[in-house]
Amino acid sequence: MKLTDLFKKNDTAKSEPLLSEAEAEALSEPASENTAKPDESDKVKDSEEETMVCPKCKQVFDKSVLKENLNVCPACGNHFVISPERRVRYLVDQGSFKPLKCKVPFVNPLDNPDYEAKITSLQEKTGLEEAVYTGVGKIDGYETVICVMSSKFLMGSMGIAVGEKVTNAFEYADKKKLPIVVFTASGGARMQEGILSLMQMAKTSAAVEKFSKHGGLYISVLTHPTTGGVTASFATLGDITLAEPEALIGFAGPRVIEQTIGQKLPEGFQRSEFMVEHGFVDQIVPRNKMRETLALILRLHSKRGR
Amino acid sequence: MVKEIDERIQAIDAEIDELMAEEAVDEPRVYVLRREKHELIKMCRDLTPHDKVYIARHKKRPKITEYISNIFEDFFEQRGDDLGKDDMSIYGGIATFHGMPVTVLGHRKGNDLSENLKVNFGMPGPEGYRKALRLMKQAEKFGRPVITFIDTPGAYPGLEAEMYGQGTAIANNLAKMSDLKVPVIAIVTGEGSSGGALAIGVANTVLMLENSVYSILSPEGYASILWKDSGRSEEACELMKLTAQDLLSFGVIDDIIPEPLGGAHLNPKMVFKTVDRYIRRELEKYVKTGPEEIAKQRYKKFRYIDEMYLAEKA
């Protein structure tokens, strides 16, 4: 690794003090086939405008500033939703990432007349096969299986394809004796696939358990939002559980809870900070510290050779 | 449709009870009523999914307490999650089944409102799932088969439930159940909704009563998500493919336990006998299977749970 070299190379281009060496390196990666496509899954849309407004703090700033800051608002720290490709780019050593092949044919168990068109249009729009993107890459030199879910793909919901891809990633990690990092973002099990979606919860959880029994390291990173059947399966089964700041994390959605109990939920309920307080998350890790934090955890587990 | 039939049957039953209590029983009237009831029950041959949801939720439908007292012996109730709470919506303990010690547990629904308030209408919180897991891990330790009865509107979506880790508790059950070294038989007896049902349903054999339903979410929840209108649940029932017959065709369950025409509540004794027979048949299947093999069989079942459906589509 030549982190410092890469850092220097990038140094002139950026003036953001929030960037660490690691991110500088991640950003220095040349445009891949993924960046060639219009990246609609990012909040920052390509347009004539050079500036944009953070929806949270209303601060106006240059788009380039936001991009250099890993799509985190430099003023208030609001973490924008990013595409899985971008997430991976921020994370892995340059050129080390290879997607895992796991193709699941389109199925429509409930014969929903709009479902196929919806999936096809999402595939075109996001450049993703499904709501999860899986592959193998190196994080600071440590070879790691990586799964990233996309909330832009039907709310990151888990149907057969997502369940199969996640299970396949755990099986691959198990076979190759590699650690696995999963970035979750999901509204839960996918309604359009009915009971078969529900069964993916059992399938993925069983795969995590098997991987875990064999001694594998699983780092779960909960990003906004992680709810429903994903929270109630693989998302909460990590050896180490991290969360991005202010992510919504829970089983039942806030609206359902409010309807059930007939009152408003307190501020910050089901957010990352709340989850740390209640003992379900080890640490909240901002995006600009994610790479080094994962690298540290991987290093701490590297002595046993996995 | 079945709702109206059922209400008429209830009225007939009440009237017959009244007539029979009189000193001079009006035999011809009783005869006519019994004929009418018979004809009404015959109308229940072709039930819609919505009808089945109605029957699955019938307030007189046999509950776990009755299954346990009618099918098992020597029941010893166990309570608590060992972490500070006891959730009454999960009921379970140790019992014998034809002389064999087993662990039996499931969702508990009440017979009336006051009972239902105690058991939270069969909607467990995390402590309920942890209690269930404690009982199952103990069953594993002592080599007892596990039999679970599923009947829940879902895991409870409450403030405290979230605070204490509803998602984590369910996830843990799914993971740990997948690797239990003893046979697990799950029976959906009423409504099996969402992760709250699956959390005690990762079994070697999954059975459903003929008129029970099992789905990703309650029909009301499904309608609320799809159309932002929980009032359209009847439509949702027709779309969700939640009947025992649907699930068998998906390969998600292993068999259907027949019910008397019109629903289990019309002849519970017969249902207990049938369920007994099915449990016995399943346990006999696993009696010679070793602990590792039993866990492996279950793992494979859920690893490839969608394969039958995918293969059919290919």
Side-chain angles (χ1 to χ4, degrees):
Chain A
M1 292 306 305
K2 287 178 198 152
L3 276 179
T4 44
D5 287 357
L6 286 160
F7 183 58
K8 274 177 205 149
K9 223 189 290 171
N10 230 33
D11 207 16
T12 47
K14 64 156 199 70
S15 53
E16 252 327 300
L18 280 170
L19 274 177
S20 70
E21 288 182 333
E23 288 99 51
E25 189 212 4
L27 281 174
S28 70
E29 187 181 337
S32 67
E33 73 270 17
N34 293 320
T35 48
K37 288 177 200 153
D39 202 351
E40 295 220 20
S41 45
D42 282 13
K43 278 261 164 76
V44 197
K45 296 256 159 55
D46 287 333
S47 72
E48 303 290 302
E49 302 218 7
E50 292 289 310
T51 59
M52 71 162 297
V53 184
C54 171
K56 201 179 158 213
C57 70
K58 313 292 178 209
Q59 184 91 12
V60 182
F61 42 80
D62 273 11
K63 273 185 182 173
S64 59
V65 171
L66 183 76
K67 280 211 166 164
E68 276 187 31
N69 201 35
L70 309 175
N71 283 286
V72 174
C73 172
C76 72
N78 181 32
H79 282 55
F80 288 81
V81 173
I82 54 172
S83 69
E85 291 93 338
R86 196 178 290 268
R87 171 87 63 188
V88 166
R89 229 180 310 134
Y90 288 165
L91 211 64
V92 298
D93 304 345
Q94 188 181 338
S96 71
F97 188 80
K98 284 188 184 64
L100 279 174
K101 279 202 185 77
C102 174
K103 195 133 177 72
V104 182
F106 171 80
V107 286
N108 193 358
L110 302 188
D111 307 316
N112 182 325
D114 311 321
Y115 188 40
E116 185 159 19
K118 203 166 200 172
I119 293 291
T120 312
S121 103
L122 280 166
Q123 284 172 336
E124 282 165 12
K125 222 163 141 183
T126 62
L128 296 166
E129 276 174 32
E130 254 290 346
V132 69
Y133 182 58
T134 61
V136 195
K138 285 186 178 168
I139 300 175
D140 199 18
Y142 296 104
E143 198 171 4
T144 307
V145 176
I146 301 167
C147 302
V148 188
M149 300 184 84
S150 169
S151 63
K152 297 282 168 168
F153 200 106
L154 221 53
M155 254 331 279
S157 58
M158 172 161 67
I160 295 177
V162 169
E164 187 62 32
K165 276 172 164 288
V166 170
T167 302
N168 176 269
F170 273 93
E171 286 173 347
Y172 182 86
D174 193 22
K175 200 172 104 195
K176 301 281 179 185
K177 303 291 168 213
L178 294 172
I180 185 165
V181 179
V182 181
F183 288 83
T184 60
S186 177
R190 186 173 293 175
M191 294 301 138
Q192 288 87 341
E193 294 181 25
I195 193 78
L196 290 166
S197 296
L198 189 73
M199 292 301 138
Q200 304 307 315
M201 292 169 62
K203 179 162 117 184
T204 53
S205 300
V208 175
E209 179 68 9
K210 195 176 182 192
F211 171 77
S212 183
K213 277 260 159 99
H214 293 170
L217 167 67
Y218 168 24
I219 307 170
S220 173
V221 187
L222 311 173
T223 75
H224 182 74
T226 297
T227 59
V230 167
T231 299
S233 63
F234 61 88
T236 49
L237 293 171
D239 298 293
I240 306 280
T241 306
L242 308 177
E244 278 200 328
E246 293 177 62
L248 178 76
I249 303 158
F251 176 63
R255 194 171 56 95
V256 177
I257 302 170
E258 285 181 348
Q259 276 171 7
T260 308
I261 63 173
Q263 51 180 292
K264 276 256 164 236
L265 290 168
E267 185 78 12
F269 186 73
Q270 292 182 314
R271 296 286 163 171
S272 304
E273 297 69 16
F274 174 93
M275 294 303 280
V276 171
E277 269 173 44
H278 287 90
F280 297 106
V281 168
D282 285 291
Q283 281 185 23
I284 295 173
V285 182
R287 204 169 279 161
N288 67 349
K289 296 272 182 256
M290 193 55 80
R291 189 179 194 276
E292 61 186 89
T293 306
L294 290 176
L296 170 67
I297 298 167
L298 291 168
R299 183 161 60 80
L300 290 171
H301 290 82
S302 64
K303 280 286 187 239
R304 246 182 10 186
R306 347 195 2 163
Chain B
M1 177 197 79
V2 81
K3 186 168 181 275
E4 289 73 33
I5 295 174
D6 176 67
E7 279 163 0
R8 181 66 198 133
I9 291 175
Q10 304 281 336
I12 290 172
D13 278 346
E15 197 182 336
I16 292 176
D17 284 350
E18 244 171 65
L19 289 168
M20 297 299 278
E22 279 168 26
E23 248 170 68
V25 178
D26 183 353
E27 293 287 358
R29 177 70 187 147
V30 172
Y31 176 80
V32 168
L33 287 170
R34 285 201 170 132
R35 283 300 310 174
E36 191 192 344
K37 182 177 171 180
H38 188 70
E39 291 305 316
L40 285 167
I41 290 174
K42 278 207 293 196
M43 287 166 72
C44 297
R45 271 187 216 289
D46 296 306
L47 299 174
T48 65
H50 183 247
D51 289 337
K52 293 195 178 204
V53 170
Y54 176 84
I55 293 179
R57 292 173 174 174
H58 200 284
K59 63 179 187 299
K60 289 198 172 151
R61 196 163 171 85
K63 305 190 171 52
I64 184 169
T65 40
E66 294 157 74
Y67 281 108
I68 291 180
S69 60
N70 283 283
I71 298 174
F72 301 87
E73 283 173 357
D74 312 315
F75 179 62
F76 171 80
E77 187 185 358
Q78 289 177 283
R79 293 183 59 180
D81 63 359
D82 255 6
L83 295 160
K85 285 201 171 178
D86 178 49
D87 188 337
M88 301 275 282
S89 58
I90 292 283
Y91 182 65
I94 314 164
T96 55
F97 179 76
H98 296 279
M100 177 198 276
V102 295
T103 284
V104 51
L105 62 98
H107 303 103
R108 182 176 190 173
K109 282 187 178 175
N111 288 306
D112 52 39
L113 183 65
S114 81
E115 269 184 43
N116 264 323
L117 288 172
K118 248 188 236 165
V119 301
N120 201 24
F121 298 86
M123 294 185 284
E127 51 277 3
Y129 294 113
R130 290 177 184 131
K131 172 181 178 177
L133 186 59
R134 177 172 85 86
L135 267 53
M136 291 190 277
K137 290 302 282 183
Q138 217 174 78
E140 181 180 54
K141 174 181 173 185
F142 295 104
R144 289 191 292 264
V146 176
I147 295 137
T148 71
F149 291 89
I150 295 171
D151 186 12
T152 182
Y156 186 61
L159 190 132
E160 285 211 342
E162 290 294 317
M163 205 182 277
Y164 296 111
Q166 186 73 287
T168 312
I170 295 172
N172 260 318
N173 278 25
L174 301 179
K176 302 295 177 206
M177 275 190 95
S178 77
D179 193 47
L180 281 178
K181 303 290 194 284
V182 288
V184 184
I185 294 161
I187 306 165
V188 184
T189 58
E191 51 177 339
S193 283
S194 89
L198 184 63
I200 59 167
V202 184
N204 295 80
T205 296
V206 183
L207 305 169
M208 277 178 82
L209 256 67
E210 193 183 337
N211 295 313
S212 66
V213 293
Y214 193 0
S215 55
I216 184 168
L217 194 61
S218 70
E220 290 77 12
Y222 191 86
S224 163
I225 286 187
L226 224 60
W227 307 300
K228 309 258 174 268
D229 180 3
S230 60
R232 288 169 72 180
S233 63
E234 184 167 351
E235 258 173 276
C237 292
E238 307 303 317
L239 294 177
M240 288 174 76
K241 300 199 179 167
L242 42 62
T243 67
Q245 296 71 23
D246 290 326
L247 267 72
L248 188 66
S249 77
F250 282 142
V252 166
I253 62 163
D254 299 281
D255 210 346
I256 297 172
I257 303 176
E259 284 182 41
L261 204 53
H265 59 286
L266 293 175
N267 192 348
K269 285 252 151 23
M270 186 177 146
V271 175
F272 301 139
K273 263 196 193 140
T274 319
V275 170
D276 180 295
R277 213 174 62 236
Y278 274 76
I279 296 174
R280 199 167 173 168
R281 186 190 78 184
E282 293 305 316
L283 283 180
E284 274 167 5
K285 248 194 237 173
Y286 299 124
V287 108
K288 290 200 189 83
T289 317
E292 295 300 329
E293 199 52 41
I294 205 83
K296 209 170 173 183
Q297 187 265 356
R298 191 181 322 106
Y299 180 85
K300 280 194 178 153
K301 177 188 174 69
F302 284 89
R303 172 64 185 88
Y304 303 114
I305 191 102
D306 39 33
E307 272 313 305
M308 188 179 130
Y309 173 76
L310 289 174
E312 244 171 49
K313 288 284 138 184

